[in-house]
Amino acid sequence: MNFSFVSDEISTSGALVVTVFEGSEFSSTAERLDKSTGGALRRGVESNRFKGKSGDLLEILAPSGLSNTRVILAGLGKLSELKITDIENLGGKVYKDLAAKGEKEVSVIMDGLKVGSSDDSTLASHVSFGALLRTYKFDTYKTAKKSDNASKLESFTVNCTDAVSAKACFEDLEKVSDGVFFTRQLVSEPPNRLYPETFAAQAKELEALGVKVTVLNEKEITDLGMNALYAVGMGSDKESKVVIMEWNGAPGGAEEKPLAFVGKGVTFDTGGISLKPAAGMEDMKFDMGGAGTVFGLMKALAGRKAKVNVVGACGLAENMPAGNAQRPGDIVTSYSGKTIEVLNTDAEGRLVLADVLSYTQEKFKPRLVIDLATLTGAIIVALGNDIAGIFSNNDKISDQLTAAGNAVDERVWRLPLADCYDKLLDCDAADMKNIGGRAAGSITAAQFLQRFIENGTPWVHIDIAGVAWSTKDKPTAAKGATGFGVRLLDRFVADNYEA
Ligand code: BES
Ligand code: ZN
Ligand code: ZN
């Protein structure tokens, strides 16, 4: 789809999208179109329950007096409550509706709309971003692609005051969408196609953007002493990998300490010898979602040449039951030297992360570490499928993340860490065990990770088990992999850490 921004006259072909506030209060263009159609828009509104509520769309087909195919009235609700993400959602909904109907062109008219400090040109780029995000479809393995025959929505134009600044803003958002799509694609890939080796190979794509990529193989992993991570992949015929991605965009050069993002990349989680039940096990292809998000984030940041140094570090392994798999009761010595009694082989994500967290801190001395993982089913019990759980030793960074999440509508909610949870991991036979019991499962998982955070390094753990995959369509994403976390962290970086 081709996106463009114009500040001159309104298109006389294709669909026109004009805005209406709550109480059926028409924008100036809606008013003008109503006049030139002999009141067709008002009549349409009156013969429907459309009141201009935020998110509602009303279609007036082939209105007389206009050569356009249709006019879409887009409800914006109350101006005082309107958010920039509502504008993105509007773009996504318009795209989805019109693409399904075989429309070829659409023009959205912003009419000088302002939301907070965002002018209509910024909003123009965001309505386009919303539409763009909605275009992603996982159809790699469909041999007859519907879209090959059907006509496609070809052009998405937005009328706004300053077309040049809208285009400039959109160019950065396009890079963010490249990252989101990369994550969605990786997370959607089936586990017979995407396993540690093929996953790691995908990082090579980032080299073209100036990212330095290092892949550690199983020999290097064991030579380094990453035995906790290695143990997770022992039962698999696929070699485990660690992928390190470095982007140095800070004006101060490579000397500046990086931000570190660490991802859990379990390409399939059967549970291992502590085998999961069969029903729903196929979902465990998205157990590499944390790593998938780190890959997408690196693509977004490098793509838009973010002025910051960042390292992305991911532990990739497949958790299988087999004769050479780790057993419940095994004791492993992690990279940090701390020993772990593995009482449940299904609590494997924390083992993978422990070693990558230690290695990343030691090698890169990052100014902060944020890890992402589809870590616990318990986070879904606590927070459901719309909000991710965060855990942190640092109030400021948690607040920054919460604000970024609210801004991009990838929300996070902080849960506590405390000694009373940490001690549930104490163990007779080793330094710690890898499960804390039934209670507070997401928190004990986070406490486990915190045992691998050294010298108070500012750290946040994001449990994305509930949000990495959606069984329902959303305005800016079809059901399936959401790409949750890419926009959140891109925004977190942009707002707080770029020079
Ligand atoms: N990958 C799962 C967590 C998960 C569950 C992700 C549902 C996405 C959706 C993780 O490795 C796991 O199995 N966790 C166990 C931990 C338990 C054994 C302490 C869980 O949540 O049951
Ligand atoms: Zn598991
Ligand atoms: Zn897992």
Side-chain angles (χ1 to χ4, degrees), residues 58-327:
L58 178 70
E59 178 181 46
I60 316 285
L61 263 178
S64 62
L66 290 179
S67 49
N68 301 83
T69 52
R70 61 193 100 216
V71 173
I72 310 280
L73 299 175
L76 296 180
K78 294 196 179 84
L79 181 59
S80 60
E81 291 170 8
L82 193 62
K83 300 188 301 293
I84 202 156
T85 47
D86 296 322
I87 300 297
E88 291 174 353
N89 288 344
L90 164 61
K93 282 185 189 163
V94 163
Y95 169 78
K96 197 223 152 201
D97 272 20
L98 294 184
K101 287 172 176 164
E103 180 61 82
K104 283 208 170 333
E105 354 169 347
V106 53
S107 299
V108 182
I109 296 118
M110 301 307 293
D111 277 317
L113 184 68
K114 275 199 176 72
V115 175
S117 59
S118 305
D119 59 16
D120 74 331
S121 309
T122 307
L123 296 175
S125 65
H126 281 269
V127 77
S128 308
F129 182 48
L132 174 58
L133 285 172
R134 193 64 171 82
T135 60
Y136 175 81
K137 205 166 154 206
F138 178 65
D139 59 6
T140 311
Y141 301 98
K142 289 277 206 186
T143 56
K145 292 194 170 88
K146 258 201 209 153
S147 49
D148 285 348
N149 315 320
S151 58
K152 278 193 202 147
L153 189 50
E154 283 161 2
S155 96
F156 195 100
T157 305
V158 191
N159 285 65
C160 59
T161 314
D162 185 348
V164 175
S165 88
K167 185 166 189 294
C169 178
F170 182 66
E171 276 166 5
D172 270 0
L173 293 171
E174 264 183 313
K175 301 301 178 191
V176 178
S177 81
D178 288 344
V180 172
F181 292 177
F182 192 33
T183 301
R184 288 183 187 167
Q185 181 69 25
L186 291 166
V187 172
S188 305
E189 285 286 351
N192 60 329
R193 302 270 185 168
L194 189 106
Y195 46 87
E197 187 183 347
T198 55
F199 192 177
Q202 287 290 311
K204 294 281 168 191
E205 195 180 304
L206 301 175
E207 286 177 342
L209 299 173
V211 177
K212 181 182 169 203
V213 178
T214 313
V215 179
L216 306 180
N217 63 26
E218 221 161 57
K219 174 156 192 313
E220 292 164 306
I221 287 169
T222 48
D223 285 352
L224 281 163
M226 295 186 177
N227 302 310
L229 184 152
Y230 174 74
V232 171
M234 257 172 17
S236 170
D237 289 345
K238 312 287 190 201
E239 249 200 55
S240 299
K241 304 279 179 192
V242 171
V243 178
I244 309 288
M245 295 161 278
E246 295 167 71
W247 166 252
N248 287 325
E255 298 314 302
E256 262 179 52
K257 284 185 181 173
L259 310 175
F261 296 96
V262 171
K264 166 181 174 182
V266 174
T267 59
F268 195 71
D269 181 13
T270 65
I273 296 298
S274 311
L275 192 64
K276 286 182 182 296
M281 199 197 276
E282 65 280 4
D283 284 352
M284 287 302 109
K285 76 168 183 177
F286 74 72
D287 210 21
M288 37 56 70
T293 304
V294 173
F295 276 52
L297 176 67
M298 296 305 292
K299 182 158 189 172
L301 294 174
R304 66 172 185 76
K305 303 199 168 11
K307 294 185 178 58
V308 62
N309 291 348
V310 181
V311 48
C314 296
L316 315 184
E318 186 184 49
N319 189 20
M320 298 291 268
N324 49 352
Q326 68 173 332
R327 294 147 288 256

Side-chain angles (χ1 to χ4, degrees), residues 347 349-351 353-354 357 371 373-379 389-393 413-419 421-425 432-437 439-453 459-464:
R350 61 197 77 181
L351 300 173
L353 288 173
L357 284 168
D371 75 74
T374 49
L375 203 64
T376 65
I379 202 70
I390 61 169
F391 305 81
S392 182
N393 59 4
W413 192 262
R414 190 178 181 185
L415 291 163
L417 293 166
D419 286 347
Y421 299 112
D422 178 76
K423 71 170 193 264
L424 299 174
L425 299 169
M432 70 193 89
K433 49 191 182 183
N434 77 329
I435 50 170
S442 301
I443 302 178
T444 51
Q447 293 289 170
F448 182 93
L449 300 179
Q450 193 175 19
R451 287 187 178 217
F452 298 87
I453 299 302
W459 159 74
V460 185
H461 157 57
I462 313 181
D463 193 334
I464 58 168

